[in-house]
Amino acid sequence: MAKKEVKTDYWVYSLLKSANIKATPQGSDIEEINEALKTASKKGTGNIGFPEFIAIVKDFLIVIEDKSDLSKHCKLDSNSCIDLDNTKSVTDFAVNGAIHYAKHLAQNTSYKKIIAIGVSGDERHHKISPYFINERGILDKKLNDLETFTLLNESNIESYYLQEILGIKPKEETTDEEVKQDAECLHEYLRNYGAIKDADKPLIVSGILLALDEMKENNLNLEYLNNDEDITDGEKLYELIEKNLKRARLSPETKRDKVLSQFSVIKDTKKINELCEILNKDGTKINSTPLKYYSRFVKEKIYDNIQNIKNSEDYLGRFYSEFMRFSGGDAQSLGIVLTPRHITELFCELADLKPNDIILDPCCGTGGFLVSAMNDMISKTDDIKQKNNIRQNQLFGFELQPFMFAVATTNMVLRGDGKSNLNNEDFLKQNPKQLQTDCQATVGFMNPPYSQGKVDKNLTEISFTEHLCDSILKGGKVVVIIPQSAVTGKTKEEKATKESILKKHTLEGVITLNKNTFYRVGTNTCIAIFTAGIPHDYKNKICKFINFENDGWEVQKHKGLIENKIKSKDRKEHLLKVWNDEIDAETKFCVKTTIEPDDEWLHNFYYFNDELPKQEDFEKTMADYLTFEFNMIMQNKDYIFKFEKREDIFKNKLNLNDIEWKEFKISEIFEVSGTITTHPSQLKPNGKTPRITCASTNNALDDTYANSPTEKGKVLTIDSATVGYVSYQENDFIATDHVEKIWIKNNKAMNRYIGLFLKQCIDNAVLLKYGYGYKFSQTRIKKQIVNLPIDSKGEPHWEFMENFMREVEYKKLNLYLDYIKKSKPNL
């Protein structure tokens, strides 16, 4: 067996082991399966044949075939179906082989549910494609590709079967839809029968929940709200809220009074305390005060569910998240962006919380991070005393907005945490050293106010981040979700703050999130993770930069951001394994690197496609250039080329696989500079000087003009306006704006062959990386990494590059000449 195939086998086996799946290589421990494999040969001879791995998980049979070469993943026939009739397709391709064995086992064993999996590549570049085969041996369904095998272990395979194969929604997903509907419905009632301001809507809901809690304690029902002449429904609810806060021992009294004052909207808003005719969703009409109607809705749809559902924290958190999404107008204008529950839970996993951790959220909003942290820590201990201590002494928060502070306090009180350490104060005005003494927090979670830095440069998201890092005990973890612009350092103040952070704290990594994480808010965010109190070691510290845009959540029409629970679980599992260094990942998902002070802390900045370019890539580059050359000659513009004599000088075919490659920063081997912009108003027609643009076609040539050249030729030009198109320029030229140029250091000559080889290497490295929102600027060009062939000294092998492209050109020209001879024999 080839060495590469063995490495792939070991990698696949490690994935199975990591997922807690016991698999048998080259056969099975089960006699029935081994008997069937005696006639399972992929060549169709009726002889013995073994897949790479077989696993039994509950009543599912899993069959795995792997190949080391990604190009050997799957072979389709002329009808775009998986080719199972051609012996070579079955023997040479992973998916085809896996399905062959699965069909054979379905027909020759008693197993009714079989999953065939084709795996190709290695730990850095791979595909894992599952297919379901039914008991009749028929290929039933192509399933979504996987990143790990975790979804197929004993804990997950039945839900995987129900959702992915049978298409049955889980109960939790149904509940999520119901929660969204309830939140939207209540939002409409508050708007239609009270004209309640957005900022007051969550206060009314929170107040009613506290009042309902007190009603239950005092054996009262909703008939207690009867619109008395002497006391309104709002005044009754207000009294119940006050009693509940006292019974919860919310202290000190000033905090209780501050929270209570926010609920005065319930008794002071006249319209919601007056009888009116209310239209139910079913079309019936009732006479009620809006407050009583709201209270009945909240009791039936929210409060009773909280009491009946085992994980009440989860249900209430979901409702608040959805309700605040509908009530977010005022909050968003204040820069408040509430964090989705799946992100608050991810924070806990990234920080690897322990039951003795102390959490600080300085911008706690409705308390989402504190609730998720509390749930996570409580789930990790059976000690009742420790659980109570977590609730009462290990959760600290600040919230500047009074109405949000009241909602957060209610949130915690309803979870049995009346002594929650929440403060209605400005976090940035707190002394970090004093906070270390008072809170002794070991973990900081934060979603700071967004866009406040436009008003005050001291209120940028990165400033909040520094203040939080300063407030956490040495060695503690800080996890923040902030706009991507905050970690790129657009302004000089932000750059200075980033550098200041690293003088005191260590950056562990940054995770780029789904662009729709805050759907409808329009903010592209990332998660940054730090270790507090330990200065960043630029020389040795390896940081992780991860692209988690594909997280299993997607926007659906009329529904908003929806979770594909199977896909999201697989993606998150993969993320956490990579983050915890349990597995490696391809660079398009994770780049591990040291950083420099002025770097942009984003995956996009460090990413380069580390797959080596292929023969066909260079052939296309040369073909495009020859097409451009031929086009110019046909237009009588051959003067823009410096022709050399072309002859067959090749005795041995040069092979890309026979040369060693190495990673280089562009600034290590190239000089980089901008160009002088020649504006359209300056152009002089009817000349021979090329004008180079940012275009991807025609070698970036606009036209030729009578202007004197401003730039020297024999360089590569790069578009810095969009995606970074690269072109080789033979002649001196003029340029439009956003055209950068690079040339080899130490006056090493560049010709068309070296230039075109380098163009393809750069194109390959930056594939799909840059665009209008993230441009290939001069600073980014200098730091971009590319793979290049090297000589025995470890330096770029310029001679190989030149001769290789000469050979490619020669082949292309001969191909064309052969065509001419055949089509025009008399020429």
Side-chain angles (χ1 to χ4, degrees), residues 362-363 398-401 423-431 435 459 464 467:
C363 307
F398 288 85
E399 176 51 51
L400 180 60
Q401 304 295 336
N423 299 279
N424 182 204
E425 296 178 30
D426 186 345
F427 167 64
L428 289 183
K429 291 182 180 178
Q430 310 304 309
N431 185 305
L435 284 178
L459 299 179
F464 274 91
H467 205 67

Side-chain angles (χ1 to χ4, degrees), residues 67-124:
K67 298 293 179 185
S68 62
D69 190 344
L70 267 172
S71 66
K72 298 294 184 182
H73 187 68
C74 182
K75 179 71 172 178
L76 302 180
D77 61 20
S78 58
N79 297 315
S80 297
C81 298
I82 294 171
D83 187 2
L84 298 174
D85 297 325
N86 187 309
T87 300
K88 191 166 180 60
S89 297
V90 173
T91 57
D92 291 358
F93 291 83
V95 167
N96 305 61
I99 293 175
H100 163 83
Y101 281 121
K103 288 169 68 71
H104 183 84
L105 291 170
Q107 294 163 353
N108 292 279
T109 69
S110 60
Y111 287 91
K112 307 298 184 186
K113 293 181 285 192
I114 303 178
I115 299 173
I117 304 177
V119 183
S120 63
D122 55 31
E123 59 191 4
R124 294 180 68 82

Side-chain angles (χ1 to χ4, degrees), residues 624-774:
D624 289 344
Y625 192 81
L626 290 173
T627 300
F628 162 68
E629 183 179 74
F630 183 77
N631 184 34
M632 292 298 100
I633 293 170
M634 291 298 99
Q635 295 181 45
N636 296 317
K637 293 183 178 179
D638 54 313
Y639 50 77
I640 69 173
F641 303 102
K642 296 176 181 176
F643 291 105
E644 301 175 15
K645 183 178 180 182
R646 292 163 172 164
E647 57 185 51
D648 183 4
I649 59 171
F650 310 106
K651 297 179 181 179
N652 299 311
K653 182 180 178 181
L654 297 175
N655 194 320
L656 292 171
N657 296 324
D658 294 337
I659 194 83
E660 190 176 350
W661 295 69
K662 180 180 170 182
E663 296 173 7
F664 294 90
K665 272 188 183 177
I666 283 182
S667 59
E668 292 175 346
I669 52 176
F670 293 102
E671 300 289 350
V672 183
S673 82
T675 57
I676 297 171
T677 299
T678 303
H679 295 283
S681 61
Q682 300 172 300
L683 296 176
K684 302 173 184 178
N686 304 319
K688 294 185 177 182
T689 301
R691 182 175 183 245
I692 303 304
T693 70
C694 296
S696 61
T697 56
N698 205 40
N699 203 50
L701 178 70
D702 163 39
D703 206 337
T704 55
Y705 297 90
N707 298 61
S708 298
T710 59
E711 313 296 335
K712 293 290 185 182
K714 294 189 180 296
V715 298
L716 293 178
T717 56
I718 301 176
D719 143 45
S720 63
T722 52
V723 301
Y725 300 117
V726 181
S727 304
Y728 170 71
Q729 306 305 330
E730 180 79 13
N731 265 17
D732 297 348
F733 61 96
I734 58 176
T736 63
D737 55 354
H738 301 296
V739 174
E740 315 298 322
K741 63 180 182 180
I742 65 174
W743 63 97
I744 304 172
K745 283 186 173 182
N746 302 321
N747 298 315
K748 165 65 184 174
M750 186 189 298
N751 56 32
R752 63 188 282 153
Y753 304 107
I754 294 175
L756 292 175
F757 192 100
L758 291 170
K759 166 192 159 47
Q760 180 53 50
C761 291
I762 296 172
D763 281 347
N764 193 72
V766 302
L767 186 66
L768 304 179
K769 175 174 177 176
Y770 296 102
Y772 286 99
Y774 193 79

Side-chain angles (χ1 to χ4, degrees), residues 404-542:
M404 295 289 276
F405 171 69
V407 173
T409 302
T410 303
N411 227 350
M412 304 307 287
V413 168
L414 287 168
R415 289 167 169 79
D417 183 27
K419 294 183 179 178
S420 176
N421 297 292
L422 301 182
N423 299 279
N424 182 204
E425 296 178 30
D426 186 345
F427 167 64
L428 289 183
K429 291 182 180 178
Q430 310 304 309
N431 185 305
K433 293 301 179 184
Q434 189 63 47
L435 284 178
Q436 286 186 10
T437 301
D438 294 344
C439 303
Q440 298 187 36
T442 57
V443 176
F445 288 164
M446 181 177 63
N447 178 5
Y450 292 178
S451 304
Q452 301 299 289
K454 295 176 182 178
V455 179
D456 185 341
K457 292 178 180 179
N458 295 315
L459 299 179
T460 60
E461 297 88 354
I462 201 69
S463 295
F464 274 91
T465 301
E466 180 177 27
H467 205 67
L468 177 56
C469 287
D470 293 345
S471 304
I472 301 299
L473 294 181
K474 183 177 181 179
K477 285 289 181 284
V478 173
V479 189
V480 298
I481 181 168
I482 51 181
Q484 292 177 22
S485 58
V487 295
T488 59
K490 284 191 172 182
T491 67
K492 63 180 182 180
E493 290 84 7
E494 287 176 314
K495 289 177 181 176
T497 303
K498 284 174 59 184
E499 190 169 352
S500 175
I501 288 174
L502 297 183
K503 287 178 180 178
K504 301 170 287 182
H505 314 289
T506 295
L507 177 65
E508 298 294 338
V510 176
I511 301 168
T512 303
L513 296 176
N514 186 331
K515 289 181 171 60
N516 292 306
T517 297
F518 293 102
Y519 181 55
R520 291 197 179 101
V521 177
T523 301
N524 294 334
T525 55
C526 60
I527 295 173
I529 302 98
F530 302 86
T531 296
I534 300 174
H536 193 94
D537 181 355
Y538 287 105
K539 185 177 180 180
N540 299 306
K541 175 61 183 176
I542 300 297

